[in-house]
Amino acid sequence: EPETIRFFLDHGADVITGAPFAVAFREKVRTSLRPFVEYKKTHPELAPALQEQADRALRHFCYEGDVKWVSLLLWAGASPRTRGPDMDERWVDDPECHTTALQQACYNGSLDILMKLKPDPQRDNLPELVSAAAAPKSKAIMQHLLTLGAKPNDKPNGGSSALDHCFWRLGWGSYDQLHQKRLSTKYEVGE
């Protein structure tokens, strides 16, 4: 209940440790959204830490493909452009695993979500997004990004990091047939 949430907030509940708002958002507690927005406005000294919680939840729902919660978090002020971890605690301290909500939407292959995030050629690294979308289920996203002006050949030597990403995802299958000197089955070469 929002009243209960406000009661605890008014009586000094810790809103930073354990990222309670991010957890509430991940669990789809819709009634936590308005108290979050109100608390963030009345406590500007905590605004950056609260913003990070909303941004983490937004990255999570972009990857999950949940259009409703992406919309709700954008309403609450979450930013699709901040880089950081998602809700998986294993990767919080590993900057190489940090992404943006825009990238997560591209990984997921959801054009609807990407359209809600409104990628901007002036502000966003479109080749990075094309590379994130370089998966079979992201054809519509790649087409959209190319119409926005993304250059697929973004490497200094004229190559494409998106194509590199496609090769990176390519499976090699089993090497068993090489050792037994036999043909591969249709199943083994399916990918």
Side-chain angles (χ1 to χ4, degrees), residues 54-99:
D55 295 349
R56 284 181 73 182
L58 180 63
R59 289 188 286 272
H60 168 76
F61 285 114
C62 284
Y63 185 75
E64 292 292 315
D66 192 323
V67 177
K68 176 183 174 182
W69 271 89
V70 166
S71 298
L72 288 170
L73 288 164
L74 289 171
W75 171 84
S79 171
R81 292 174 176 81
T82 59
R83 185 174 296 277
D86 63 6
M87 295 302 297
D88 192 336
E89 291 296 325
R90 295 176 295 174
W91 317 119
V92 170
D93 296 326
D94 187 356
E96 289 186 17
C97 295
H98 293 182
T99 61

mmCIF file of all heavy atoms in Angstrom, residues 54-99:
data_model
loop_
_atom_site.group_PDB
_atom_site.id
_atom_site.type_symbol
_atom_site.label_atom_id
_atom_site.label_comp_id
_atom_site.label_asym_id
_atom_site.label_seq_id
_atom_site.Cartn_x
_atom_site.Cartn_y
_atom_site.Cartn_z
ATOM 1 N N ALA A 54 16.171 3.287 -10.374
ATOM 2 C CA ALA A 54 15.200 3.295 -11.469
ATOM 3 C C ALA A 54 15.854 2.874 -12.784
ATOM 4 O O ALA A 54 15.272 2.110 -13.563
ATOM 5 C CB ALA A 54 14.585 4.686 -11.610
ATOM 6 N N ASP A 55 17.079 3.337 -13.000
ATOM 7 C CA ASP A 55 17.793 2.995 -14.239
ATOM 8 C C ASP A 55 18.104 1.495 -14.304
ATOM 9 O O ASP A 55 18.002 0.880 -15.362
ATOM 10 C CB ASP A 55 19.074 3.814 -14.367
ATOM 11 C CG ASP A 55 18.815 5.302 -14.519
ATOM 12 O OD1 ASP A 55 17.653 5.697 -14.744
ATOM 13 O OD2 ASP A 55 19.785 6.081 -14.390
ATOM 14 N N ARG A 56 18.495 0.918 -13.162
ATOM 15 C CA ARG A 56 18.765 -0.531 -13.119
ATOM 16 C C ARG A 56 17.509 -1.319 -13.466
ATOM 17 O O ARG A 56 17.555 -2.278 -14.244
ATOM 18 C CB ARG A 56 19.251 -0.958 -11.738
ATOM 19 C CG ARG A 56 20.679 -0.604 -11.451
ATOM 20 C CD ARG A 56 21.111 -1.076 -10.091
ATOM 21 N NE ARG A 56 21.281 -2.532 -10.090
ATOM 22 C CZ ARG A 56 21.610 -3.219 -9.011
ATOM 23 N NH1 ARG A 56 21.802 -2.615 -7.851
ATOM 24 N NH2 ARG A 56 21.761 -4.523 -9.083
ATOM 25 N N ALA A 57 16.386 -0.912 -12.878
ATOM 26 C CA ALA A 57 15.131 -1.607 -13.163
ATOM 27 C C ALA A 57 14.737 -1.442 -14.633
ATOM 28 O O ALA A 57 14.253 -2.388 -15.257
ATOM 29 C CB ALA A 57 14.034 -1.090 -12.241
ATOM 30 N N LEU A 58 14.973 -0.261 -15.193
ATOM 31 C CA LEU A 58 14.670 -0.047 -16.609
ATOM 32 C C LEU A 58 15.509 -0.973 -17.486
ATOM 33 O O LEU A 58 14.984 -1.597 -18.421
ATOM 34 C CB LEU A 58 14.903 1.418 -17.005
ATOM 35 C CG LEU A 58 14.630 1.761 -18.467
ATOM 36 C CD1 LEU A 58 13.157 1.532 -18.818
ATOM 37 C CD2 LEU A 58 15.033 3.196 -18.765
ATOM 38 N N ARG A 59 16.797 -1.097 -17.192
ATOM 39 C CA ARG A 59 17.641 -2.014 -17.970
ATOM 40 C C ARG A 59 17.108 -3.448 -17.872
ATOM 41 O O ARG A 59 17.074 -4.178 -18.865
ATOM 42 C CB ARG A 59 19.085 -1.928 -17.488
ATOM 43 C CG ARG A 59 19.776 -0.637 -17.869
ATOM 44 C CD ARG A 59 21.258 -0.632 -17.549
ATOM 45 N NE ARG A 59 21.568 -0.486 -16.141
ATOM 46 C CZ ARG A 59 21.719 0.678 -15.509
ATOM 47 N NH1 ARG A 59 21.587 1.821 -16.174
ATOM 48 N NH2 ARG A 59 22.025 0.709 -14.234
ATOM 49 N N HIS A 60 16.681 -3.816 -16.678
ATOM 50 C CA HIS A 60 16.134 -5.163 -16.460
ATOM 51 C C HIS A 60 14.904 -5.406 -17.339
ATOM 52 O O HIS A 60 14.824 -6.415 -18.037
ATOM 53 C CB HIS A 60 15.780 -5.335 -14.973
ATOM 54 C CG HIS A 60 14.970 -6.551 -14.681
ATOM 55 N ND1 HIS A 60 15.525 -7.815 -14.652
ATOM 56 C CD2 HIS A 60 13.651 -6.701 -14.417
ATOM 57 C CE1 HIS A 60 14.576 -8.692 -14.381
ATOM 58 N NE2 HIS A 60 13.438 -8.044 -14.229
ATOM 59 N N PHE A 61 13.949 -4.480 -17.318
ATOM 60 C CA PHE A 61 12.711 -4.681 -18.068
ATOM 61 C C PHE A 61 12.908 -4.527 -19.574
ATOM 62 O O PHE A 61 12.165 -5.128 -20.351
ATOM 63 C CB PHE A 61 11.609 -3.763 -17.547
ATOM 64 C CG PHE A 61 11.054 -4.238 -16.232
ATOM 65 C CD1 PHE A 61 11.225 -3.489 -15.084
ATOM 66 C CD2 PHE A 61 10.388 -5.446 -16.142
ATOM 67 C CE1 PHE A 61 10.729 -3.930 -13.867
ATOM 68 C CE2 PHE A 61 9.896 -5.906 -14.931
ATOM 69 C CZ PHE A 61 10.065 -5.149 -13.785
ATOM 70 N N CYS A 62 13.906 -3.766 -19.991
ATOM 71 C CA CYS A 62 14.220 -3.705 -21.426
ATOM 72 C C CYS A 62 14.711 -5.058 -21.904
ATOM 73 O O CYS A 62 14.333 -5.523 -22.981
ATOM 74 C CB CYS A 62 15.267 -2.631 -21.697
ATOM 75 S SG CYS A 62 14.601 -0.962 -21.634
ATOM 76 N N TYR A 63 15.531 -5.695 -21.105
ATOM 77 C CA TYR A 63 16.023 -7.018 -21.487
ATOM 78 C C TYR A 63 14.908 -8.059 -21.416
ATOM 79 O O TYR A 63 14.822 -8.946 -22.259
ATOM 80 C CB TYR A 63 17.199 -7.451 -20.615
ATOM 81 C CG TYR A 63 17.791 -8.753 -21.081
ATOM 82 C CD1 TYR A 63 18.583 -8.790 -22.228
ATOM 83 C CD2 TYR A 63 17.531 -9.932 -20.432
ATOM 84 C CE1 TYR A 63 19.103 -9.976 -22.702
ATOM 85 C CE2 TYR A 63 18.052 -11.133 -20.887
ATOM 86 C CZ TYR A 63 18.833 -11.150 -22.021
ATOM 87 O OH TYR A 63 19.342 -12.331 -22.482
ATOM 88 N N GLU A 64 14.041 -7.942 -20.416
ATOM 89 C CA GLU A 64 12.929 -8.884 -20.268
ATOM 90 C C GLU A 64 11.873 -8.691 -21.352
ATOM 91 O O GLU A 64 11.080 -9.588 -21.607
ATOM 92 C CB GLU A 64 12.285 -8.732 -18.890
ATOM 93 C CG GLU A 64 13.173 -9.171 -17.749
ATOM 94 C CD GLU A 64 13.417 -10.659 -17.741
ATOM 95 O OE1 GLU A 64 12.455 -11.431 -17.930
ATOM 96 O OE2 GLU A 64 14.592 -11.053 -17.550
ATOM 97 N N GLY A 65 11.830 -7.502 -21.952
ATOM 98 C CA GLY A 65 10.847 -7.235 -22.996
ATOM 99 C C GLY A 65 9.486 -6.835 -22.455
ATOM 100 O O GLY A 65 8.471 -7.048 -23.115
ATOM 101 N N ASP A 66 9.443 -6.241 -21.274
ATOM 102 C CA ASP A 66 8.187 -5.858 -20.637
ATOM 103 C C ASP A 66 7.865 -4.396 -20.970
ATOM 104 O O ASP A 66 8.332 -3.469 -20.302
ATOM 105 C CB ASP A 66 8.293 -6.059 -19.125
ATOM 106 C CG ASP A 66 6.964 -5.959 -18.418
ATOM 107 O OD1 ASP A 66 6.131 -5.115 -18.817
ATOM 108 O OD2 ASP A 66 6.760 -6.720 -17.452
ATOM 109 N N VAL A 67 7.052 -4.181 -21.995
ATOM 110 C CA VAL A 67 6.736 -2.841 -22.487
ATOM 111 C C VAL A 67 6.031 -2.014 -21.416
ATOM 112 O O VAL A 67 6.315 -0.820 -21.255
ATOM 113 C CB VAL A 67 5.873 -2.915 -23.773
ATOM 114 C CG1 VAL A 67 5.476 -1.529 -24.250
ATOM 115 C CG2 VAL A 67 6.606 -3.658 -24.860
ATOM 116 N N LYS A 68 5.127 -2.637 -20.679
ATOM 117 C CA LYS A 68 4.382 -1.908 -19.651
ATOM 118 C C LYS A 68 5.321 -1.329 -18.601
ATOM 119 O O LYS A 68 5.247 -0.149 -18.274
ATOM 120 C CB LYS A 68 3.373 -2.843 -18.985
ATOM 121 C CG LYS A 68 2.623 -2.207 -17.836
ATOM 122 C CD LYS A 68 1.692 -3.207 -17.172
ATOM 123 C CE LYS A 68 1.039 -2.617 -15.935
ATOM 124 N NZ LYS A 68 0.178 -3.599 -15.271
ATOM 125 N N TRP A 69 6.242 -2.145 -18.074
ATOM 126 C CA TRP A 69 7.133 -1.650 -17.025
ATOM 127 C C TRP A 69 8.188 -0.703 -17.567
ATOM 128 O O TRP A 69 8.642 0.191 -16.861
ATOM 129 C CB TRP A 69 7.722 -2.809 -16.213
ATOM 130 C CG TRP A 69 6.790 -3.095 -15.088
ATOM 131 C CD1 TRP A 69 5.725 -3.960 -15.092
ATOM 132 C CD2 TRP A 69 6.773 -2.433 -13.830
ATOM 133 N NE1 TRP A 69 5.062 -3.878 -13.902
ATOM 134 C CE2 TRP A 69 5.680 -2.955 -13.101
ATOM 135 C CE3 TRP A 69 7.563 -1.462 -13.234
ATOM 136 C CZ2 TRP A 69 5.374 -2.534 -11.815
ATOM 137 C CZ3 TRP A 69 7.261 -1.043 -11.951
ATOM 138 C CH2 TRP A 69 6.184 -1.574 -11.254
ATOM 139 N N VAL A 70 8.575 -0.865 -18.799
ATOM 140 C CA VAL A 70 9.470 0.121 -19.415
ATOM 141 C C VAL A 70 8.767 1.476 -19.442
ATOM 142 O O VAL A 70 9.333 2.500 -19.064
ATOM 143 C CB VAL A 70 9.909 -0.321 -20.825
ATOM 144 C CG1 VAL A 70 10.549 0.826 -21.590
ATOM 145 C CG2 VAL A 70 10.865 -1.508 -20.740
ATOM 146 N N SER A 71 7.504 1.490 -19.848
ATOM 147 C CA SER A 71 6.730 2.735 -19.897
ATOM 148 C C SER A 71 6.575 3.346 -18.511
ATOM 149 O O SER A 71 6.734 4.565 -18.336
ATOM 150 C CB SER A 71 5.348 2.476 -20.500
ATOM 151 O OG SER A 71 5.464 2.016 -21.823
ATOM 152 N N LEU A 72 6.273 2.516 -17.521
ATOM 153 C CA LEU A 72 6.101 3.020 -16.156
ATOM 154 C C LEU A 72 7.402 3.616 -15.616
ATOM 155 O O LEU A 72 7.397 4.677 -14.977
ATOM 156 C CB LEU A 72 5.614 1.899 -15.233
ATOM 157 C CG LEU A 72 4.162 1.449 -15.444
ATOM 158 C CD1 LEU A 72 3.872 0.181 -14.647
ATOM 159 C CD2 LEU A 72 3.195 2.559 -15.070
ATOM 160 N N LEU A 73 8.514 2.960 -15.866
ATOM 161 C CA LEU A 73 9.795 3.462 -15.364
ATOM 162 C C LEU A 73 10.232 4.725 -16.094
ATOM 163 O O LEU A 73 10.835 5.616 -15.493
ATOM 164 C CB LEU A 73 10.857 2.376 -15.418
ATOM 165 C CG LEU A 73 10.643 1.288 -14.363
ATOM 166 C CD1 LEU A 73 11.462 0.058 -14.680
ATOM 167 C CD2 LEU A 73 10.962 1.821 -12.975
ATOM 168 N N LEU A 74 9.922 4.825 -17.370
ATOM 169 C CA LEU A 74 10.204 6.078 -18.084
ATOM 170 C C LEU A 74 9.365 7.204 -17.493
ATOM 171 O O LEU A 74 9.848 8.318 -17.313
ATOM 172 C CB LEU A 74 9.940 5.917 -19.583
ATOM 173 C CG LEU A 74 10.937 5.035 -20.341
ATOM 174 C CD1 LEU A 74 10.448 4.780 -21.761
ATOM 175 C CD2 LEU A 74 12.321 5.655 -20.343
ATOM 176 N N TRP A 75 8.103 6.909 -17.159
ATOM 177 C CA TRP A 75 7.261 7.901 -16.494
ATOM 178 C C TRP A 75 7.883 8.348 -15.162
ATOM 179 O O TRP A 75 7.841 9.521 -14.805
ATOM 180 C CB TRP A 75 5.859 7.330 -16.246
ATOM 181 C CG TRP A 75 5.032 8.213 -15.382
ATOM 182 C CD1 TRP A 75 4.290 9.293 -15.770
ATOM 183 C CD2 TRP A 75 4.887 8.125 -13.967
ATOM 184 N NE1 TRP A 75 3.689 9.877 -14.673
ATOM 185 C CE2 TRP A 75 4.043 9.172 -13.552
ATOM 186 C CE3 TRP A 75 5.390 7.252 -12.998
ATOM 187 C CZ2 TRP A 75 3.689 9.370 -12.227
ATOM 188 C CZ3 TRP A 75 5.043 7.452 -11.675
ATOM 189 C CH2 TRP A 75 4.195 8.510 -11.298
ATOM 190 N N ALA A 76 8.474 7.391 -14.434
ATOM 191 C CA ALA A 76 9.079 7.679 -13.134
ATOM 192 C C ALA A 76 10.432 8.378 -13.257
ATOM 193 O O ALA A 76 11.041 8.723 -12.250
ATOM 194 C CB ALA A 76 9.227 6.394 -12.326
ATOM 195 N N GLY A 77 10.905 8.580 -14.484
ATOM 196 C CA GLY A 77 12.140 9.332 -14.688
ATOM 197 C C GLY A 77 13.379 8.511 -14.940
ATOM 198 O O GLY A 77 14.490 9.046 -14.943
ATOM 199 N N ALA A 78 13.240 7.209 -15.182
ATOM 200 C CA ALA A 78 14.412 6.384 -15.472
ATOM 201 C C ALA A 78 15.019 6.813 -16.809
ATOM 202 O O ALA A 78 14.311 7.218 -17.726
ATOM 203 C CB ALA A 78 14.027 4.905 -15.523
ATOM 204 N N SER A 79 16.345 6.706 -16.900
ATOM 205 C CA SER A 79 17.056 7.131 -18.105
ATOM 206 C C SER A 79 17.519 5.922 -18.924
ATOM 207 O O SER A 79 18.183 5.036 -18.394
ATOM 208 C CB SER A 79 18.282 7.965 -17.726
ATOM 209 O OG SER A 79 19.068 8.205 -18.878
ATOM 210 N N PRO A 80 17.214 5.911 -20.209
ATOM 211 C CA PRO A 80 17.658 4.787 -21.041
ATOM 212 C C PRO A 80 19.127 4.876 -21.456
ATOM 213 O O PRO A 80 19.655 3.960 -22.057
ATOM 214 C CB PRO A 80 16.747 4.887 -22.268
ATOM 215 C CG PRO A 80 16.383 6.328 -22.356
ATOM 216 C CD PRO A 80 16.348 6.829 -20.939
ATOM 217 N N ARG A 81 19.800 5.971 -21.120
ATOM 218 C CA ARG A 81 21.158 6.190 -21.611
ATOM 219 C C ARG A 81 22.253 5.972 -20.570
ATOM 220 O O ARG A 81 23.413 5.948 -20.916
ATOM 221 C CB ARG A 81 21.258 7.593 -22.200
ATOM 222 C CG ARG A 81 20.452 7.711 -23.466
ATOM 223 C CD ARG A 81 20.388 9.100 -24.039
ATOM 224 N NE ARG A 81 19.663 9.041 -25.301
ATOM 225 C CZ ARG A 81 18.344 9.024 -25.395
ATOM 226 N NH1 ARG A 81 17.589 9.101 -24.324
ATOM 227 N NH2 ARG A 81 17.763 8.949 -26.585
ATOM 228 N N THR A 82 21.896 5.837 -19.310
ATOM 229 C CA THR A 82 22.935 5.642 -18.300
ATOM 230 C C THR A 82 23.459 4.217 -18.371
ATOM 231 O O THR A 82 22.704 3.276 -18.588
ATOM 232 C CB THR A 82 22.417 5.929 -16.878
ATOM 233 O OG1 THR A 82 21.319 5.068 -16.600
ATOM 234 C CG2 THR A 82 22.021 7.372 -16.725
ATOM 235 N N ARG A 83 24.751 4.080 -18.187
ATOM 236 C CA ARG A 83 25.405 2.777 -18.240
ATOM 237 C C ARG A 83 25.574 2.264 -16.814
ATOM 238 O O ARG A 83 26.001 2.979 -15.927
ATOM 239 C CB ARG A 83 26.760 2.897 -18.920
ATOM 240 C CG ARG A 83 27.479 1.576 -19.126
ATOM 241 C CD ARG A 83 28.756 1.763 -19.932
ATOM 242 N NE ARG A 83 28.464 2.243 -21.279
ATOM 243 C CZ ARG A 83 28.106 1.457 -22.296
ATOM 244 N NH1 ARG A 83 27.980 0.168 -22.125
ATOM 245 N NH2 ARG A 83 27.885 1.977 -23.486
ATOM 246 N N GLY A 84 25.231 1.003 -16.629
ATOM 247 C CA GLY A 84 25.379 0.400 -15.315
ATOM 248 C C GLY A 84 24.890 -1.035 -15.324
ATOM 249 O O GLY A 84 24.555 -1.588 -16.370
ATOM 250 N N PRO A 85 24.810 -1.637 -14.125
ATOM 251 C CA PRO A 85 24.367 -3.033 -14.039
ATOM 252 C C PRO A 85 22.852 -3.133 -14.146
ATOM 253 O O PRO A 85 22.134 -2.150 -13.969
ATOM 254 C CB PRO A 85 24.837 -3.450 -12.640
ATOM 255 C CG PRO A 85 24.793 -2.185 -11.854
ATOM 256 C CD PRO A 85 25.189 -1.098 -12.829
ATOM 257 N N ASP A 86 22.391 -4.349 -14.429
ATOM 258 C CA ASP A 86 20.952 -4.574 -14.353
ATOM 259 C C ASP A 86 20.651 -5.110 -12.955
ATOM 260 O O ASP A 86 21.399 -4.836 -12.020
ATOM 261 C CB ASP A 86 20.471 -5.494 -15.479
ATOM 262 C CG ASP A 86 21.059 -6.896 -15.412
ATOM 263 O OD1 ASP A 86 21.760 -7.212 -14.433
ATOM 264 O OD2 ASP A 86 20.804 -7.678 -16.333
ATOM 265 N N MET A 87 19.626 -5.885 -12.787
ATOM 266 C CA MET A 87 19.231 -6.343 -11.455
ATOM 267 C C MET A 87 20.015 -7.574 -10.988
ATOM 268 O O MET A 87 19.854 -7.997 -9.858
ATOM 269 C CB MET A 87 17.728 -6.645 -11.439
ATOM 270 C CG MET A 87 16.861 -5.427 -11.667
ATOM 271 S SD MET A 87 17.118 -4.110 -10.468
ATOM 272 C CE MET A 87 16.626 -4.907 -8.973
ATOM 273 N N ASP A 88 20.839 -8.143 -11.828
ATOM 274 C CA ASP A 88 21.632 -9.305 -11.445
ATOM 275 C C ASP A 88 22.819 -8.842 -10.597
ATOM 276 O O ASP A 88 23.730 -8.176 -11.096
ATOM 277 C CB ASP A 88 22.119 -10.042 -12.690
ATOM 278 C CG ASP A 88 22.703 -11.410 -12.380
ATOM 279 O OD1 ASP A 88 23.153 -11.615 -11.232
ATOM 280 O OD2 ASP A 88 22.713 -12.251 -13.282
ATOM 281 N N GLU A 89 22.821 -9.179 -9.334
ATOM 282 C CA GLU A 89 23.847 -8.712 -8.391
ATOM 283 C C GLU A 89 25.248 -9.249 -8.718
ATOM 284 O O GLU A 89 26.241 -8.687 -8.281
ATOM 285 C CB GLU A 89 23.476 -9.100 -6.953
ATOM 286 C CG GLU A 89 22.274 -8.358 -6.416
ATOM 287 C CD GLU A 89 22.512 -6.857 -6.298
ATOM 288 O OE1 GLU A 89 23.635 -6.435 -5.980
ATOM 289 O OE2 GLU A 89 21.553 -6.103 -6.530
ATOM 290 N N ARG A 90 25.342 -10.330 -9.481
ATOM 291 C CA ARG A 90 26.658 -10.904 -9.787
ATOM 292 C C ARG A 90 27.537 -9.953 -10.589
ATOM 293 O O ARG A 90 28.753 -10.036 -10.537
ATOM 294 C CB ARG A 90 26.504 -12.215 -10.565
ATOM 295 C CG ARG A 90 25.835 -13.315 -9.778
ATOM 296 C CD ARG A 90 25.631 -14.527 -10.629
ATOM 297 N NE ARG A 90 24.688 -14.206 -11.697
ATOM 298 C CZ ARG A 90 24.387 -15.033 -12.685
ATOM 299 N NH1 ARG A 90 24.955 -16.202 -12.773
ATOM 300 N NH2 ARG A 90 23.519 -14.681 -13.602
ATOM 301 N N TRP A 91 26.935 -9.039 -11.340
ATOM 302 C CA TRP A 91 27.703 -8.205 -12.262
ATOM 303 C C TRP A 91 27.777 -6.742 -11.834
ATOM 304 O O TRP A 91 28.233 -5.901 -12.597
ATOM 305 C CB TRP A 91 27.104 -8.291 -13.670
ATOM 306 C CG TRP A 91 26.740 -9.678 -14.060
ATOM 307 C CD1 TRP A 91 25.492 -10.134 -14.371
ATOM 308 C CD2 TRP A 91 27.607 -10.814 -14.155
ATOM 309 N NE1 TRP A 91 25.533 -11.473 -14.654
ATOM 310 C CE2 TRP A 91 26.830 -11.924 -14.532
ATOM 311 C CE3 TRP A 91 28.971 -11.015 -13.953
ATOM 312 C CZ2 TRP A 91 27.339 -13.194 -14.715
ATOM 313 C CZ3 TRP A 91 29.492 -12.286 -14.135
ATOM 314 C CH2 TRP A 91 28.694 -13.345 -14.515
ATOM 315 N N VAL A 92 27.358 -6.442 -10.629
ATOM 316 C CA VAL A 92 27.335 -5.049 -10.165
ATOM 317 C C VAL A 92 28.718 -4.415 -10.214
ATOM 318 O O VAL A 92 28.869 -3.270 -10.619
ATOM 319 C CB VAL A 92 26.741 -4.961 -8.739
ATOM 320 C CG1 VAL A 92 26.935 -3.583 -8.142
ATOM 321 C CG2 VAL A 92 25.267 -5.327 -8.771
ATOM 322 N N ASP A 93 29.746 -5.153 -9.817
ATOM 323 C CA ASP A 93 31.096 -4.599 -9.734
ATOM 324 C C ASP A 93 31.947 -4.873 -10.973
ATOM 325 O O ASP A 93 33.152 -4.654 -10.948
ATOM 326 C CB ASP A 93 31.809 -5.156 -8.495
ATOM 327 C CG ASP A 93 31.130 -4.720 -7.211
ATOM 328 O OD1 ASP A 93 30.613 -3.586 -7.175
ATOM 329 O OD2 ASP A 93 31.109 -5.513 -6.244
ATOM 330 N N ASP A 94 31.336 -5.347 -12.049
ATOM 331 C CA ASP A 94 32.080 -5.651 -13.268
ATOM 332 C C ASP A 94 31.656 -4.687 -14.380
ATOM 333 O O ASP A 94 30.667 -4.926 -15.067
ATOM 334 C CB ASP A 94 31.837 -7.090 -13.700
ATOM 335 C CG ASP A 94 32.709 -7.512 -14.858
ATOM 336 O OD1 ASP A 94 33.464 -6.663 -15.394
ATOM 337 O OD2 ASP A 94 32.660 -8.690 -15.248
ATOM 338 N N PRO A 95 32.404 -3.580 -14.565
ATOM 339 C CA PRO A 95 32.011 -2.585 -15.574
ATOM 340 C C PRO A 95 31.908 -3.137 -16.992
ATOM 341 O O PRO A 95 31.194 -2.578 -17.814
ATOM 342 C CB PRO A 95 33.119 -1.528 -15.490
ATOM 343 C CG PRO A 95 33.800 -1.755 -14.194
ATOM 344 C CD PRO A 95 33.596 -3.204 -13.844
ATOM 345 N N GLU A 96 32.605 -4.225 -17.294
ATOM 346 C CA GLU A 96 32.510 -4.808 -18.635
ATOM 347 C C GLU A 96 31.129 -5.392 -18.902
ATOM 348 O O GLU A 96 30.753 -5.577 -20.053
ATOM 349 C CB GLU A 96 33.582 -5.869 -18.827
ATOM 350 C CG GLU A 96 34.974 -5.293 -18.940
ATOM 351 C CD GLU A 96 36.017 -6.342 -19.281
ATOM 352 O OE1 GLU A 96 35.648 -7.442 -19.734
ATOM 353 O OE2 GLU A 96 37.201 -6.052 -19.098
ATOM 354 N N CYS A 97 30.388 -5.680 -17.842
ATOM 355 C CA CYS A 97 29.030 -6.223 -17.988
ATOM 356 C C CYS A 97 27.958 -5.144 -17.911
ATOM 357 O O CYS A 97 26.780 -5.445 -18.032
ATOM 358 C CB CYS A 97 28.777 -7.281 -16.914
ATOM 359 S SG CYS A 97 29.821 -8.730 -17.085
ATOM 360 N N HIS A 98 28.354 -3.905 -17.715
ATOM 361 C CA HIS A 98 27.385 -2.820 -17.618
ATOM 362 C C HIS A 98 26.913 -2.409 -19.006
ATOM 363 O O HIS A 98 27.696 -2.378 -19.954
ATOM 364 C CB HIS A 98 27.998 -1.628 -16.892
ATOM 365 C CG HIS A 98 28.291 -1.912 -15.447
ATOM 366 N ND1 HIS A 98 28.809 -0.964 -14.611
ATOM 367 C CD2 HIS A 98 28.142 -3.032 -14.694
ATOM 368 C CE1 HIS A 98 28.959 -1.481 -13.414
ATOM 369 N NE2 HIS A 98 28.575 -2.736 -13.437
ATOM 370 N N THR A 99 25.641 -2.119 -19.113
ATOM 371 C CA THR A 99 25.028 -1.735 -20.386
ATOM 372 C C THR A 99 24.091 -0.552 -20.161
ATOM 373 O O THR A 99 23.958 -0.058 -19.055
ATOM 374 C CB THR A 99 24.218 -2.899 -20.983
ATOM 375 O OG1 THR A 99 23.175 -3.231 -20.070
ATOM 376 C CG2 THR A 99 25.072 -4.113 -21.264
#
